[in-house]
DNA sequence: TTCTAATAGAGAATTTATTCTCGATAAATA
DNA sequence: TATTTATCGAGAATAAATTCTCTATTAGAA
């Protein structure tokens, strides 16, 4: 095998394929559960069986993180957990501001386990004065007018948008003004941002579409069987 | 061209590729906006430019829905909207029960536009008696013990899980007992369900992983440039 | 009316992702 | 100790998704 550290560095530089990135957290969660039970080793076969994924696929994904296993034994659980953390950047704490202190914002502020992924929502902001000056899950909600200044002062580089679609662009503009590096956008709206800013959209309608079509197919299928 | 109705029927039966399904709602939203402004025609080029997607890809996606366009003109906005609705099954109303009346549940109950996608959350349920007997966004919150019976009575086939991960399986079991056909799971946990039940997981950690790695890469890049 | 430019649609080519195959290795067992 | 079995790792084969190329068509301009 080739120098694996260099290989992983290269993987991080050019980036893993998105499907792989989306599966890594699933492994990560399972591995933590296994560690809880005192398990120290794990094979791709086992992970695949648990998550209903092809074992080879699991192996290829793990390969991306640079973890090496041993024939007949598999991987060291701890080592693998650390490798995934490192690969995803979950080993470094990122402080985030959240824009939009509605129920969705509140839900995210109270989301368990973000800290394990190196994410810490340190404060929330809202345009509505009635929503400000509260403390939700230990975090202060302030007026949006204070955000940009605080961002610069606290060197916050990560923003989460949980405002209605109609206000998403304004929220994004403020984050950009504050020097944001990455935006996690929960509003069902496309937002414009400079090339340098990373934007990831969490669009529920996209997921719903997948589910809706599966359901439509299933219903059509059962109907045609009923007829036949 | 071949009989397009038969073609679309076949597409629905075998299902569109997931990437296509996830893009269709983006087109749908844009098209509705365009219709608002009075536009009646649209080209793949325009859609692609707006959403920063390849025009050919847009064309292929649209082809799946069976909509035909005209050279030099493009597609009829209205026709395309209807075709997407039909293709995704958004033209039929689906009534859903939601389990877990916390802030995430509340956020979904108040989510705008689900009705345009044929989804209607008709009631919510929770184990916590303190959360019950409320009305959120016009929907009643009842105790979980009532759910299974009501599901059968009301013929509810769609369930949304917004409980903590530790309770997700129990929630799913109750939905299954009530005869659920599809589950939209927002808890960061894998749930076991019979083959016949469609489960879609909305796992925030999976999206976060994509964002985290992009950010890690960007930081590594800027650091190496700073050094060089 | 003729020409030009924009577009859909079909199919080929390319890229990306997944799955299969096989050899090497190490633990467990006979 | 020899054999068997489970596993990793590498690479080939396959499948899926995206992008490219070309042709036909049509609206609008000359």
């Amino acid at each position: 095998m080739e120098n694996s550290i260099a290989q992983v560095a290269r993987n991080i530089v050019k980036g893993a394929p998105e499907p792989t990135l989306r599966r890594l957290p699933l492994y990560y969660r399972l591995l933590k559960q296994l560690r809880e039970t005192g398990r120290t080793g794990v094979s791709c076969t086992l992970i695949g069986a648990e998550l209903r994924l092809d074992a080879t696929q699991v192996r290829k994904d793990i390969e991306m993180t640079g973890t090496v296993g041993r024939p007949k034994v598999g991987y060291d659980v701890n080592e693998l957990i650390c490798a995934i953390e490192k690969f995803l950047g979950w080993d470094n704490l990122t402080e985030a501001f959240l824009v939009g202190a509605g129920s969705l914002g509140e839900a995210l502020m109270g989301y368990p386990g973000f800290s394990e992924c190196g994410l810490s929502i340190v404060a929330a902001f809202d345009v509505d004065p009635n929503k400000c000056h509260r403390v939700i899950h230990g975090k202060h909600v302030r007026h949006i007018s204070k955000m940009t200044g605080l961002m610069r002062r606290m060197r916050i580089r990560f923003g989460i948008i949980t405002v209605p679609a109609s206000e998403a662009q304004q929220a994004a503009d403020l984050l950009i003004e504050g020097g944001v590096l990455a935006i996690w956008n929960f509003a069902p709206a496309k937002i414009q941002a400079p090339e340098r800013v990373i934007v990831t959209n969490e669009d529920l309608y996209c997921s719903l579409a997948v589910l809706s079509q599966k359901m439509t197919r299933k219903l059509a299928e059962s109907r045609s069987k009923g007829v036949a």
Side-chain angles (χ1 to χ4, degrees), chain A:
Chain A
M1 200 201 48
E2 182 200 359
N3 181 336
S4 88
I5 295 170
Q7 181 58 54
V8 177
R10 215 169 314 129
N11 287 344
I12 290 178
V13 169
K14 74 177 174 195
E18 196 170 310
T20 294
L21 289 175
R22 299 190 73 92
R23 282 187 298 264
L24 285 175
L26 306 180
Y27 307 155
Y28 184 71
R29 189 178 302 146
L30 176 63
L31 289 165
K32 287 220 164 173
Q33 282 167 13
L34 291 174
R35 187 164 65 177
E36 287 281 299
T37 71
R39 234 195 136 91
T40 57
V42 69
S43 71
C44 293
T45 319
L46 177 73
I47 296 176
E50 282 294 321
L51 303 176
R52 294 165 192 244
L53 296 169
D54 184 81
T56 308
Q57 186 170 66
V58 175
R59 195 171 298 126
K60 287 249 193 282
D61 289 340
I62 288 175
E63 206 179 357
M64 289 295 296
T65 70
T67 313
V68 295
R70 286 196 305 166
K72 182 80 180 184
V73 180
Y75 304 90
D76 181 74
V77 172
N78 248 311
E79 196 187 329
L80 195 43
I81 288 173
C82 293
I84 293 174
E85 274 176 354
K86 186 150 199 171
F87 190 70
L88 295 176
W90 285 1
D91 56 338
N92 289 315
L93 189 75
T94 304
E95 294 192 316
F97 272 3
L98 183 145
V99 197
S103 43
L104 181 55
E106 198 173 310
L108 293 183
M109 281 188 262
Y111 219 68
F114 274 165
S115 60
E116 288 181 68
C117 307
L119 181 66
S120 171
I121 301 174
V122 293
F125 299 85
D126 208 290
V127 268
D128 182 354
N130 296 319
K131 287 190 182 153
C132 302
H133 311 300
R134 289 184 301 157
V135 177
I136 299 176
H137 297 293
K139 287 129 192 176
H140 285 274
V141 181
R142 302 185 193 286
H143 192 261
I144 188 77
S145 57
K146 313 277 187 197
M147 188 175 72
T148 312
L150 268 174
M151 271 186 85
R152 295 208 169 275
R153 200 121 47 82
M154 295 173 70
R155 299 180 183 281
I156 301 294
R157 316 298 302 275
F158 196 107
I160 302 175
I161 295 179
T162 49
V163 300
S166 55
E167 293 165 38
Q169 187 60 54
Q170 292 169 59
D173 290 344
L174 287 172
L175 287 169
I176 293 162
E177 200 187 316
V180 85
L181 206 81
I183 294 175
W184 197 2
N185 174 36
F186 284 78
K190 141 189 77 79
I191 59 181
Q192 303 287 349
E195 192 69 34
R196 65 173 187 285
V197 177
I198 302 159
V199 180
T200 294
N201 297 300
E202 196 72 37
D203 195 325
L204 295 192
Y205 296 101
C206 298
S207 309
L208 180 58
V210 179
L211 191 49
S212 297
Q213 225 229 4
K214 280 188 189 164
M215 199 162 162
T216 303
R217 277 169 55 196
K218 180 139 283 186
L219 286 173
E221 201 179 287
S222 62
R223 208 174 301 126
S224 69
K225 268 186 193 163
V227 171

